[in-house]
Amino acid sequence: MIEVFLNAKNNQYHVDLKEGDVGKYVFLPGDPGRVELIASLFDESWAVAENREYKTYTGTIDGIKVSVCSTGIGSPSAAIAVEELSRVGADTFIRIGTAGPMQDYIKKGDVVIGTSAIRDEGTTRQYMPLEFPAVADISVTNALCEAAKKLNKTYHAGIIQSKDSFYGEVEPETMPLAATLKERWQCWVAGGALASEMEAAAIYVISSIRKLKAGCILNMKGSMEETIKVGLEAIRILEKQSKES
Ligand SMILES: O=P(O)(O)O[C@H]1O[C@H](CO)[C@@H](O)[C@H]1O
Ligand SMILES: O=c1cc[nH]c(=O)[nH]1
């Protein structure tokens, strides 16, 4: 049985949300400062809740009810967001984030669509043994790719890396485990990993376990607004497909 933690308002304990507050489609940026930008690109939107790192807006695009909820930095808080949002009606998640490119051919302004994530973080080990892959939902991934094509955005779809230590990645030489970190990083690059970020693995693994759908699009230091628009278009594609099926 799934334990339900509620706050004094009878809302989900961390995100402070109840059934009806969010749409079934929810964008998940890490940064709470990105929530208003995403909501401003909906046709209409309104603030719903704000608690800790979790800021939520709901609105509509083409009549489809959608929400955006920030997850904060890292897998522990992203895991909580997916768990609690799914308990109030969300079932399809698109992470919209920033990330560091891991391949030379990825250029500023491109986007990366994460088909799966290296579980280089601690949270998902408390859900599933490491042999279990962190994989995005194929329909969400395909919708993101189709949307990027439609909007003429150069995209790369493939493996991404989710880590726990931002500075271990950007300044590995200053870490006591520098040699190990460098070696592991070289393995990920040799295996073709495209970009490094901090939340996708948790979002993917928990979505698999809870029978939810998740995907991820990452902005490579280009226009965040253009990246978000790909996410919005992906929702239109997914909604059209769900109506047709
Ligand atoms: O741009 P957001 O979504 O916040 O995500 C990235 O930025 C943060 C690190 O600066 C981490 O959360 C990383 O995953
Ligand atoms: O290099 C980067 C940039 C954004 N987020 C990360 O996790 N790493």
Side-chain angles (χ1 to χ4, degrees), residues 41 109 111 143-155 217 224-237:
L41 297 171
V111 292
L144 284 167
C145 293
E146 191 182 328
K149 256 184 242 161
K150 189 169 171 194
L151 299 182
N152 288 319
K153 198 78 189 146
T154 302
Y155 73 94
I217 182 162
M224 182 50 83
E225 194 166 316
E226 286 178 14
T227 306
I228 296 165
K229 284 184 176 163
V230 175
L232 298 188
E233 188 59 29
I235 301 276
R236 291 188 189 98
I237 293 166

Coordinates of all heavy atoms in Angstrom, one line a residue, residues 41 109 111 143-155 217 224-237:
L41 N 4.1 30.9 -21.3 CA 3.9 30.4 -22.7 C 2.7 29.5 -22.8 O 2.3 29.1 -23.9 CB 5.2 29.6 -23.1 CG 6.4 30.5 -23.1 CD1 7.7 29.7 -23.4 CD2 6.3 31.6 -24.2
G109 N 22.8 26.0 -28.4 CA 21.5 26.3 -29.0 C 20.8 25.0 -29.4 O 19.6 25.0 -29.7
V111 N 19.2 21.2 -28.7 CA 18.6 20.6 -27.5 C 18.9 19.1 -27.5 O 19.2 18.5 -28.5 CB 17.1 20.8 -27.4 CG1 16.7 22.2 -27.2 CG2 16.4 20.2 -28.7
A143 N 7.3 12.2 -29.2 CA 6.6 13.4 -29.3 C 7.6 14.6 -29.2 O 7.5 15.6 -30.0 CB 5.5 13.6 -28.2
L144 N 8.6 14.5 -28.3 CA 9.6 15.6 -28.2 C 10.4 15.7 -29.5 O 10.7 16.8 -30.0 CB 10.5 15.3 -27.0 CG 9.9 15.6 -25.6 CD1 10.8 15.0 -24.5 CD2 9.7 17.1 -25.4
C145 N 10.8 14.5 -30.0 CA 11.6 14.5 -31.3 C 10.8 15.1 -32.4 O 11.3 16.0 -33.2 CB 12.1 13.1 -31.6 SG 13.2 12.5 -30.5
E146 N 9.5 14.7 -32.5 CA 8.6 15.2 -33.6 C 8.4 16.7 -33.4 O 8.5 17.5 -34.4 CB 7.3 14.5 -33.5 CG 6.4 14.7 -34.7 CD 5.1 14.0 -34.6 OE1 5.0 12.9 -34.0 OE2 4.1 14.6 -35.1
A147 N 8.3 17.2 -32.2 CA 8.1 18.6 -31.9 C 9.3 19.4 -32.3 O 9.2 20.5 -32.9 CB 7.7 18.8 -30.5
A148 N 10.5 18.9 -31.9 CA 11.7 19.6 -32.3 C 11.9 19.7 -33.8 O 12.3 20.8 -34.3 CB 12.9 18.8 -31.7
K149 N 11.6 18.7 -34.5 CA 11.6 18.7 -36.0 C 10.7 19.8 -36.5 O 11.1 20.6 -37.3 CB 11.2 17.3 -36.5 CG 12.4 16.5 -37.0 CD 11.9 15.2 -37.7 CE 12.4 14.0 -36.9 NZ 11.7 12.8 -37.1
K150 N 9.5 19.7 -36.0 CA 8.4 20.7 -36.5 C 8.9 22.1 -36.3 O 8.6 23.0 -37.1 CB 7.1 20.4 -35.7 CG 6.0 21.1 -36.3 CD 4.7 20.6 -35.7 CE 3.6 21.6 -36.1 NZ 2.3 21.4 -35.4
L151 N 9.6 22.4 -35.1 CA 10.0 23.8 -34.8 C 11.4 24.1 -35.3 O 12.0 25.1 -34.9 CB 9.9 24.0 -33.3 CG 8.4 23.8 -32.7 CD1 8.4 24.1 -31.2 CD2 7.4 24.7 -33.4
N152 N 11.9 23.2 -36.1 CA 13.3 23.4 -36.7 C 14.4 23.6 -35.6 O 15.2 24.4 -35.8 CB 13.3 24.6 -37.6 CG 12.6 24.3 -38.9 OD1 12.7 23.2 -39.4 ND2 11.8 25.3 -39.4
K153 N 14.3 22.8 -34.6 CA 15.3 22.9 -33.5 C 16.2 21.7 -33.7 O 15.8 20.6 -33.8 CB 14.5 22.8 -32.2 CG 15.2 23.2 -31.0 CD 15.2 24.7 -30.8 CE 16.2 25.0 -29.6 NZ 16.9 26.2 -29.8
T154 N 17.5 22.0 -33.7 CA 18.5 20.9 -33.9 C 18.5 20.1 -32.6 O 18.7 20.7 -31.5 CB 19.9 21.4 -34.2 OG1 19.8 22.2 -35.3 CG2 20.9 20.3 -34.3
Y155 N 18.2 18.8 -32.7 CA 18.1 18.0 -31.4 C 19.0 16.7 -31.5 O 19.3 16.2 -32.6 CB 16.7 17.6 -31.1 CG 16.1 16.5 -32.0 CD1 16.1 15.2 -31.6 CD2 15.5 16.9 -33.2 CE1 15.6 14.2 -32.5 CE2 15.0 15.9 -34.0 CZ 15.0 14.6 -33.7 OH 14.5 13.6 -34.5
I217 N 13.8 17.2 -22.0 CA 14.4 18.0 -23.0 C 15.4 18.9 -22.3 O 15.0 19.6 -21.3 CB 13.4 18.7 -23.9 CG1 14.2 19.4 -25.0 CG2 12.5 19.6 -23.2 CD1 13.3 19.8 -26.2
M224 N 16.0 29.3 -23.8 CA 15.1 28.5 -23.0 C 13.7 28.5 -23.5 O 13.0 27.5 -23.5 CB 15.2 28.9 -21.5 CG 14.4 28.1 -20.6 SD 14.6 26.3 -20.7 CE 16.1 26.0 -19.7
E225 N 13.3 29.7 -24.0 CA 12.0 29.8 -24.5 C 11.7 28.9 -25.7 O 10.7 28.2 -25.8 CB 11.7 31.3 -25.0 CG 10.3 31.6 -25.2 CD 10.0 33.1 -25.3 OE1 10.5 33.9 -24.5 OE2 9.2 33.4 -26.2
E226 N 12.7 28.8 -26.6 CA 12.5 27.8 -27.7 C 12.5 26.4 -27.2 O 11.7 25.6 -27.8 CB 13.7 28.0 -28.7 CG 13.6 29.2 -29.5 CD 14.9 29.4 -30.5 OE1 15.6 28.4 -30.7 OE2 15.1 30.5 -31.0
T227 N 13.3 26.1 -26.2 CA 13.2 24.7 -25.7 C 11.9 24.4 -25.1 O 11.3 23.3 -25.3 CB 14.3 24.6 -24.6 OG1 15.6 25.0 -25.2 CG2 14.5 23.1 -24.1
I228 N 11.3 25.4 -24.3 CA 10.0 25.2 -23.7 C 8.9 25.0 -24.8 O 8.0 24.1 -24.7 CB 9.6 26.4 -22.8 CG1 10.6 26.5 -21.7 CG2 8.2 26.3 -22.3 CD1 10.6 27.8 -20.9
K229 N 9.1 25.8 -25.9 CA 8.1 25.6 -27.0 C 8.1 24.2 -27.6 O 7.0 23.7 -28.0 CB 8.3 26.7 -28.0 CG 7.8 28.1 -27.6 CD 8.0 29.1 -28.6 CE 7.4 30.4 -28.1 NZ 7.8 31.6 -28.8
V230 N 9.2 23.6 -27.6 CA 9.3 22.2 -28.1 C 8.5 21.3 -27.1 O 7.7 20.5 -27.5 CB 10.7 21.7 -28.2 CG1 10.8 20.2 -28.6 CG2 11.5 22.5 -29.2
G231 N 8.6 21.6 -25.8 CA 7.9 20.8 -24.8 C 6.4 21.0 -25.0 O 5.6 20.1 -24.9
L232 N 6.0 22.3 -25.2 CA 4.5 22.5 -25.4 C 4.0 21.8 -26.6 O 2.9 21.2 -26.6 CB 4.3 24.1 -25.6 CG 4.7 25.0 -24.4 CD1 4.2 26.4 -24.7 CD2 4.1 24.6 -23.1
E233 N 4.8 21.8 -27.7 CA 4.3 21.1 -28.9 C 4.2 19.6 -28.7 O 3.3 19.0 -29.2 CB 5.3 21.5 -30.0 CG 4.9 21.0 -31.4 CD 3.5 21.6 -31.9 OE1 3.2 22.7 -31.5 OE2 2.8 20.9 -32.7
A234 N 5.1 19.1 -27.9 CA 5.1 17.7 -27.6 C 3.8 17.3 -26.9 O 3.2 16.3 -27.1 CB 6.3 17.3 -26.7
I235 N 3.3 18.2 -26.0 CA 2.0 17.9 -25.3 C 0.9 17.9 -26.3 O 0.0 17.1 -26.2 CB 1.8 19.0 -24.2 CG1 2.9 19.0 -23.2 CG2 0.4 18.8 -23.6 CD1 2.8 18.0 -22.1
R236 N 0.9 18.9 -27.2 CA -0.2 18.9 -28.3 C -0.2 17.6 -29.0 O -1.2 17.0 -29.3 CB 0.1 20.1 -29.2 CG -0.2 21.4 -28.6 CD -0.1 22.5 -29.7 NE -0.1 23.8 -29.0 CZ 1.0 24.6 -28.8 NH1 2.2 24.1 -29.2 NH2 0.9 25.7 -28.2
I237 N 1.0 17.1 -29.4 CA 1.1 15.8 -30.1 C 0.6 14.7 -29.3 O -0.2 13.8 -29.8 CB 2.6 15.6 -30.5 CG1 3.1 16.7 -31.6 CG2 2.8 14.2 -31.1 CD1 4.6 16.7 -31.8

